[in-house]
Amino acid sequence: MTTAAPTSSQQAPFGEPNPYATPAASVAESRGFSVASLVLGLVSIVASSTFFVPIIGLVLGIMALSREPNTRTMAIWGIVLNAVMLAGTILFAFGAALVGLAFLPFAFL
């Protein structure tokens, strides 16, 4: 005669958590640097003349590459956007300084 109740070797009790489930909290935490780098990269398009926004986004993107391998694409896009905007800001500042120095002799006329 067999019983209908499962034994411990056939089925786990209902109170035990699923061992194959991925924790949702760790996924949300592991995206922080990548998302911040990408958002600062997009913000640096508007606020690139500050120097600080692209530099912070660039640092966060580089940190995200080493700490968050599953969000590598967002980190790379953040690095690219921030690096391009930082380079553009530096070139603009250098050009403005050259034009200012070129017109400096005419400032006292």
Side-chain angles (χ1 to χ4, degrees), residues 8-60:
S8 63
S9 63
Q10 290 177 348
Q11 183 179 2
F14 292 109
E16 292 183 17
N18 185 359
Y20 302 109
T22 57
S26 65
V27 173
E29 291 176 11
S30 68
R31 291 183 176 177
F33 289 136
S34 299
V35 171
S37 174
L38 182 62
V39 167
L40 288 176
L42 294 172
V43 169
S44 70
I45 293 172
V46 177
S48 63
S49 61
T50 61
F51 283 110
F52 299 113
V53 174
I55 289 173
I56 293 171
L58 194 62
V59 168
L60 286 175

Side-chain angles (χ1 to χ4, degrees), residues 44 47-51 54 84-94:
S44 70
S48 63
S49 61
T50 61
F51 283 110
V84 166
M85 295 312 296
L86 184 64
T89 302
I90 290 172
L91 288 175
F92 179 77
F94 185 68

Side-chain angles (χ1 to χ4, degrees), residues 51-76:
F51 283 110
F52 299 113
V53 174
I55 289 173
I56 293 171
L58 194 62
V59 168
L60 286 175
I62 292 169
M63 288 173 55
L65 280 179
S66 62
R67 292 185 183 186
E68 304 165 358
N70 56 343
T71 57
R72 186 176 174 89
T73 305
M74 281 194 290
I76 290 174

